[in-house]
Amino acid sequence: MDYEPVIGLEVHVQLKTASKLFCGCSTKFGALPNAQVCPVCLGYPGVLPVLNEKALTLAVMAGLAMGSTVALYSKFDRKNYFYPDLPKAYQVSQYDEPICLGGKIDIEVEGTRKEIRLTRIHLEEDAGKSMHFKGDTGVDYNRTGIPLIEIVSEPDLRSPQEAYQYLKELKTILEYLDVSDCNMEEGSLRCDANVSLRPVGEKKMGTRAEIKNLNSFHNVEKAITYEIERQKELLSRGERIVQETRLWNADESFTRSMRSKEAAHDYRYFPEPDLVPIVFSAKEIESVRVSLPELAQRRKERFMKDFALTAYDAEVLTAQKDLADFFERCLKYSKNAKAISNWMMGDLMRELKLKDLGIAQSPMSPEHIAGLIELMDQGKISGKMAKDVFLEMFGTGKSAQEIVSAKGLSQLSDSSQIEGVVKKVIQENPPSVQDYRNGKKNALSYLVGQVMKATQGRANPKMVNELLVKELEK
Amino acid sequence: MKVEMNIDDVAKLARLKLSAEEREKFSSQMSDILSYVQKLNAVDTTHVQAADHVEAVQNVTRPDEVKPSLDPDSFLKHAPLGRDQFFIVPQVIE
Ligand SMILES: [Zn+2]
């Protein structure tokens, strides 16, 4: 029997705030254990949590950018369960009245566009972190109370590749909005996948497994692929799928049942009495909507229209906000958009990748890239020289002009100087000159090569060509 | 009307181990409480919206500003066990 995978993703995104969701503790990554906690996030009796207004705005921005309906009324609820990383024995989350409902994310897989619907986006606080030691467990509450939004998709995804694209699109939107760092290593973006199979044509959903511990987009893709195969095999043997939580083991590439979570949960949600409801007017929501920054799709279209970039170039440059920003900063110093795009997508991205750097850590500034292009466009250096200058700029952080001046590299564009070399080359190469005069026009390229060699590649090739022809035709 | 409830479920969710005696006692007390609350069913609430908050306060927020946190020693000394700035709990196996 043929089965169809049905996949839904739950993505937790850390909102980019300086302080926690309900208290003033810092959200900075990498602090010593429990250095960023206070009575509110430790759950001391009698404390009063107060909502961070920036977290609220960021959640609304994310919802609007994804086409969600922002609720005019929403509230917080307590989700009750016992776990050492949860000091209050409940997590403040949103249950039946989340901040955003619905929405969609457009993805493209193998040239086909598809709309993935969102169920909801809600605000909640993060839990702490457990460190497993030999014999006992250490708990660090620095993450407790960190503001998150959980973005829940409908089970509209049908393949691991679609799940991967969905995450990529989601991340692009969040980065453009600047609502999150989306750093999976630091835990500011986390993903759980619900995976089930059903016979092709069947409308009813099969029993699903929830896969946790997916720490990179590629692992999401791999874990779903593995899980689909695991369920297929069970079904083909006539066995049943058990509804359970499974952990992905990235080192050995398999999922295993998480026994501690097997018992069905009863979270006994109830309204959080310490936090008052959030009420918006349509006008307030509209004012956030109009303040949304330009998103990737629109920027791509603008790049194609304003700078005559190809769809492919515009797509690559706008897929990451900081890349697109870099490109636009280059344009302040050079109007040659095509050359900027070529240098960025070719040499710059290659060198950055080799050094495992992001565009934000580029040793070359937009001004430097543009400066190199300007020198080429003014005919001061050849394309070949530019490649070498580029590498040196990347290595030293110097400007193109500095390197060219220091090395005396600048292109020879003085016709009297080139003329002297041309005359000398003609004198030293009678056979080639003869060939040329006898109609073998390709002898010219040999002579050009000789001039370039004599000038260590510095002569302006166009001028060399012209002067040689002029001299030979005399 | 007497409302019965499964005291074992509640005890399990609250991580409580009840003796046979306690089971009996709390079962009966919880049933009394539920029966009492049942009185509310006499009120016609067809046209009343569910209230999740009773006070007429909305939209209480604070600016996103970092305030000093606590000195870890000040609270770790109250924990049953602390080490290297961690709270130490019995081993959690996943
Ligand atoms: Zn705190």
Side-chain angles (χ1 to χ4, degrees), chain B:
Chain B
M1 190 182 68
K2 188 96 175 153
V3 185
E4 293 300 327
M5 76 172 302
N6 188 340
I7 193 79
D8 295 325
D9 280 353
V10 180
K12 197 179 163 202
L13 286 168
R15 303 284 198 278
L16 293 173
K17 229 183 226 132
L18 302 180
S19 65
E21 224 167 87
E22 286 168 329
R23 236 186 123 254
E24 201 60 36
K25 184 174 151 196
F26 293 139
S27 227
S28 140
Q29 286 184 350
M30 294 287 264
S31 289
D32 286 347
I33 294 168
L34 284 179
S35 304
Y36 179 71
V37 175
Q38 280 270 308
K39 286 185 181 179
L40 287 174
N41 285 345
V43 184
D44 179 10
T45 55
T46 326
H47 301 292
V48 181
Q49 256 198 326
D52 32 61
H53 288 80
V54 286
E55 283 169 89
V57 187
Q58 302 165 334
N59 300 341
V60 179
T61 57
R62 43 168 263 275
D64 179 29
E65 281 164 13
V66 176
K67 295 273 161 65
S69 297
L70 291 175
D71 171 6
D73 289 336
S74 71
F75 51 82
L76 279 165
K77 69 181 179 201
H78 301 299
L81 194 57
R83 194 176 62 232
D84 300 334
Q85 264 182 248
F86 283 104
F87 286 92
I88 300 296
V89 298
Q91 190 148 46
V92 179
I93 306 154
E94 275 185 349

Side-chain angles (χ1 to χ4, degrees), chain A residues 11-248:
Chain A
V11 180
H12 286 90
V13 178
Q14 177 176 343
L15 298 172
K16 209 167 168 177
T17 58
S19 66
K20 290 186 180 180
L21 188 52
F22 303 120
C23 65
C25 289
S26 169
T27 57
K28 215 179 217 144
F29 180 79
L32 284 171
N34 295 305
Q36 290 167 184
V37 296
C38 74
V40 173
C41 49
L42 278 179
Y44 277 20
V47 295
L48 191 65
V50 185
L51 179 63
N52 182 333
E53 64 185 13
K54 183 166 184 204
L56 181 61
T57 307
L58 295 179
V60 170
M61 284 171 68
L64 289 174
M66 295 174 196
S68 305
T69 304
V70 176
L72 298 176
Y73 179 97
S74 71
K75 65 170 170 69
F76 288 102
D77 299 276
R78 291 187 182 180
K79 179 182 182 178
N80 301 279
Y81 65 94
F82 290 106
Y83 205 73
D85 65 12
L86 201 64
K88 300 192 289 277
Y90 61 82
Q91 177 193 24
V92 179
S93 180
Q94 295 192 294
Y95 181 53
D96 54 346
E97 306 211 58
I99 185 94
C100 300
L101 281 167
K104 67 175 175 73
I105 287 180
D106 291 321
I107 61 165
E108 195 175 315
V109 175
E110 284 159 12
T112 314
R113 291 199 79 79
K114 187 174 166 181
E115 182 182 301
I116 308 301
R117 291 168 303 156
L118 301 182
T119 313
R120 59 188 276 162
I121 300 175
H122 66 254
L123 267 164
E124 65 182 26
E125 59 175 350
D126 205 350
K129 208 174 120 198
S130 303
M131 293 283 290
H132 302 289
F133 301 132
K134 209 174 180 167
D136 54 24
T137 295
V139 193
D140 170 9
Y141 291 124
N142 285 346
R143 285 204 70 85
T144 305
I146 296 254
L148 306 176
I149 44 173
E150 179 174 340
I151 303 166
V152 184
S153 86
E154 289 286 302
D156 285 351
L157 299 158
R158 293 289 171 270
S159 70
Q161 294 73 31
E162 288 187 7
Y164 180 86
Q165 280 307 319
Y166 169 85
L167 287 171
K168 244 185 79 185
E169 285 301 325
L170 190 79
K171 184 169 178 254
T172 302
I173 295 172
L174 295 168
E175 282 175 345
Y176 265 84
L177 294 172
D178 204 24
V179 302
S180 174
D181 287 330
C182 296
N183 185 332
M184 278 190 122
E185 282 87 55
E186 293 183 3
S188 62
L189 192 150
R190 304 196 295 267
C191 173
D192 301 333
N194 289 309
V195 181
S196 66
L197 295 184
R198 66 181 171 196
V200 172
E202 171 69 58
K203 285 271 178 290
K204 229 178 76 198
M205 305 251 284
T207 308
R208 67 189 163 87
E210 186 181 2
I211 321 295
K212 285 189 179 288
N213 202 30
L214 303 170
N215 57 0
S216 75
F217 288 4
H218 281 293
N219 270 314
V220 172
E221 200 176 348
K222 275 162 73 180
I224 294 173
T225 307
Y226 173 89
E227 186 58 23
I228 290 169
E229 285 312 310
R230 186 187 73 89
Q231 294 189 14
K232 257 186 202 162
E233 200 179 306
L234 283 175
L235 292 171
S236 72
R237 280 191 308 217
E239 287 180 43
R240 279 191 15 211
I241 307 294
V242 185
Q243 180 163 348
E244 61 180 351
T245 303
R246 298 183 69 84
L247 272 188
W248 170 246

